[in-house]
Amino acid sequence: MNFCPNCGAPIEFRVPEGDDRKRNICSATGEIFYDNPRNVVGTLVERDGRMLMCRREIEPRRHFWTLPAGFLELGETSAGGAARETLEEAGVQVRAPRLFNLIDVTHIGQIHMFFIAEMVGDHYAPGQESNDVRFFAEDEIAWPQLAFPSIHRTLERYFADRAGGHFGVHVESLAAADWHAMALDRRPRDVG
Amino acid sequence: MNFCPNCGAPIEFRVPEGDDRKRNICSATGEIFYDNPRNVVGTLVERDGRMLMCRREIEPRRHFWTLPAGFLELGETSAGGAARETLEEAGVQVRAPRLFNLIDVTHIGQIHMFFIAEMVGDHYAPGQESNDVRFFAEDEIAWPQLAFPSIHRTLERYFADRAGGHFGVHVESLAAADWHAMALDRRPRDVG
C-alpha cells in the first residue's frame, strides 16, 4: 500500500499510538487502514454417497480438484455465500447448509469454512471458474490432485465423521508446514 | 475508495468482466480491490458461575458492556485472536477456547465469533479500551446496557445452553432489524 485510497497522499507504514503492530497510515489525515483475514466459504454436497467436486479453470491450482468454494462477499451470510459459490462453480442448488469445518489458514490470512448442504434437484454443470464437475466416491478421490490442503483436510474429516455416523463441528488451523506435508501434486493429471 | 493504493491512479467503481457486482478497479492497471467481511472474535469466560464482561472506553458504544472481543488480525487463529482480545481488554489469560457462536452480521459486513474459554489464574484488570471489568451473574446483566446485539444474542444462547446442561455450536445471522428490535439503551448508565 503506497497511496491513501481516500485522498491519494503517501502512506506511512508504522505502529500507531496505542497499537502494537505496524499499519498503513495516511500521511495527510492519519487515517489507519487495517488489513484483516478474509473468509473463504464452501460446501460438502453428497449425491448417492458421492462428493460433489469441481475442477478449477482458474489459477491458482488450475485443473486441480476442489470443493465448490470462494470468497465471502459483503452483505451475505457465510452459509449463503457457500451456497452461492456452489451454484456458480458447480451449477448445483443447495439447501440447509450447516457448519462442518472452520479452518484458520494463518500464513495466508484466511479462514476457510465448509458447510454440509443438501442438493436440490439433479442439475449440475461447470460454471465459468470450473471446467469439470463430478461426484466422487471416497475411494475415487485422487488426494494429491486436490487443489488446496484445506480441501484435503475437510474431506478427510468428512469421511471420518461419516464412517462414525455423526457429523460434528470442527475448528482447526493449518500452517504452512501442514500444507507442504500433504505433498499435493505440482502438476495436474487426469483422474477417475 | 478514490485512488489506487498501489499506484495512486483514480479508482473506477464498476462491474469487472465476468463478475456480477461493482468493484474498485485501478484506472491505470486494471487491478481489482475487493472488500470483504471482517471477523470479530471474542470469549465467554466464567468465574464461579459469573460472566466476564468489560465496559467499553472507546466508541462506538462507549461505556456500554461487552464481552471481550475485537477484530481478528492477520497471522492469528480465530481462537488465538479471541484469547488475545481477552488479555488486552480484560487482563484475563484464557485457555482451551472452543467455538460457541458464529454470527453473520451482514448489514455491517462482519462475522462475530465467540469462544467459550477457561480463565487461567485470578488476574483481571481493564486494558486501555475498557474502563471497568466485572463478573456478572445471569440475573445481574443489564440487557439494554449491552454494547452490541451480537453480545446480547450470544449471552442469551450461553445461558440457555448452560441451563440445558450442554453447550452446542451455533451459527446464526443478525440483520439490521434484529439489532433495532433489541432496544438497547441509547445512553449508558451505572449498573450492578
Side-chain angles (χ1 to χ4, degrees):
Chain A
M1 197 167 182
N2 302 308
F3 299 95
C4 172
N6 283 345
C7 75
I11 284 286
E12 297 169 356
F13 191 60
R14 60 177 169 81
V15 180
E17 195 182 321
D19 203 338
D20 61 358
R21 64 192 78 196
K22 289 185 178 182
R23 312 283 186 184
N24 291 301
I25 304 174
C26 175
S27 59
T29 67
E31 186 175 1
I32 303 171
F33 298 94
Y34 296 92
D35 197 8
N36 300 92
R38 296 202 293 168
N39 299 297
V40 170
V41 292
T43 56
L44 292 144
V45 177
E46 263 192 37
R47 195 186 64 164
D48 301 331
R50 302 159 84 93
M51 223 50 226
L52 172 65
M53 300 195 70
C54 302
R55 192 172 190 231
R56 290 171 64 82
E57 183 55 27
I58 55 171
E59 295 293 352
R61 301 289 286 170
R62 181 168 180 254
H63 289 177
F64 288 91
W65 288 88
T66 186
L67 296 165
F71 285 107
L72 182 64
E73 298 275 8
L74 290 174
E76 65 187 4
T77 63
S78 45
R84 173 186 51 73
E85 289 287 347
T86 309
L87 188 59
E88 285 179 7
E89 298 189 351
V92 169
Q93 193 184 334
V94 296
R95 68 180 165 205
R98 59 199 176 90
L99 184 62
F100 174 67
N101 200 17
L102 185 154
I103 311 175
D104 294 296
V105 192
T106 53
H107 66 291
I108 56 170
Q110 295 181 359
I111 294 178
H112 294 188
M113 290 183 217
F114 291 93
F115 294 80
I116 294 175
E118 295 169 18
M119 185 168 178
V120 176
D122 289 320
H123 183 266
Y124 65 98
Q128 66 179 9
E129 297 184 0
S130 310
N131 74 5
D132 198 358
V133 173
R134 291 192 220 166
F135 293 84
F136 290 93
E138 181 177 357
D139 63 6
E140 291 170 339
I141 289 176
W143 296 90
Q145 286 289 305
L146 296 178
F148 306 109
S150 57
I151 305 295
H152 193 291
R153 188 66 67 84
T154 298
L155 286 171
E156 280 177 335
R157 282 203 183 278
Y158 184 88
F159 293 126
D161 275 18
R162 190 174 73 172
H166 172 72
F167 292 108
V169 183
H170 305 279
V171 178
E172 61 177 320
S173 62
L174 271 174
D178 298 315
W179 288 66
H180 298 308
M182 283 180 190
L184 300 181
D185 288 341
R186 294 191 175 191
R187 294 191 182 181
R189 58 177 170 78
D190 287 337
V191 301
Chain B
M1 196 167 184
N2 303 309
F3 300 95
C4 173
N6 282 345
C7 74
I11 284 287
E12 297 170 356
F13 190 60
R14 60 177 168 81
V15 181
E17 195 182 321
D19 203 338
D20 60 358
R21 63 192 77 198
K22 289 185 178 182
R23 312 283 185 185
N24 291 301
I25 304 174
C26 175
S27 59
T29 66
E31 187 175 359
I32 303 171
F33 298 94
Y34 296 92
D35 197 8
N36 299 93
R38 294 202 293 167
N39 299 298
V40 171
V41 290
T43 57
L44 292 144
V45 178
E46 264 191 37
R47 194 186 64 167
D48 302 330
R50 304 159 84 94
M51 226 45 229
L52 172 65
M53 299 195 70
C54 303
R55 193 173 190 231
R56 289 171 64 81
E57 183 55 27
I58 54 169
E59 296 292 353
R61 300 288 285 171
R62 183 169 179 253
H63 290 177
F64 288 92
W65 288 87
T66 186
L67 296 166
F71 286 106
L72 182 64
E73 300 275 8
L74 290 175
E76 65 187 4
T77 64
S78 46
R84 173 187 50 76
E85 289 288 346
T86 308
L87 187 60
E88 285 179 7
E89 299 189 351
V92 169
Q93 193 184 333
V94 296
R95 68 179 166 206
R98 57 198 176 94
L99 184 63
F100 175 67
N101 200 18
L102 185 155
I103 311 175
D104 295 295
V105 193
T106 53
H107 66 291
I108 56 170
Q110 295 181 359
I111 295 178
H112 294 187
M113 291 183 218
F114 292 94
F115 294 79
I116 294 174
E118 295 169 20
M119 185 168 177
V120 176
D122 289 321
H123 183 266
Y124 65 98
Q128 65 180 9
E129 297 184 0
S130 311
N131 72 5
D132 198 358
V133 173
R134 290 191 221 166
F135 292 84
F136 290 94
E138 181 177 357
D139 62 5
E140 292 171 338
I141 289 175
W143 295 91
Q145 287 289 305
L146 297 178
F148 306 109
S150 56
I151 304 295
H152 193 291
R153 188 64 69 82
T154 298
L155 286 171
E156 281 177 336
R157 283 203 184 278
Y158 183 87
F159 293 126
D161 275 18
R162 191 175 70 173
H166 173 71
F167 292 108
V169 183
H170 305 280
V171 177
E172 59 176 321
S173 62
L174 272 172
D178 298 315
W179 289 66
H180 298 307
M182 284 179 189
L184 301 181
D185 288 340
R186 294 192 176 192
R187 294 190 183 183
R189 59 178 169 78
D190 287 336
V191 301

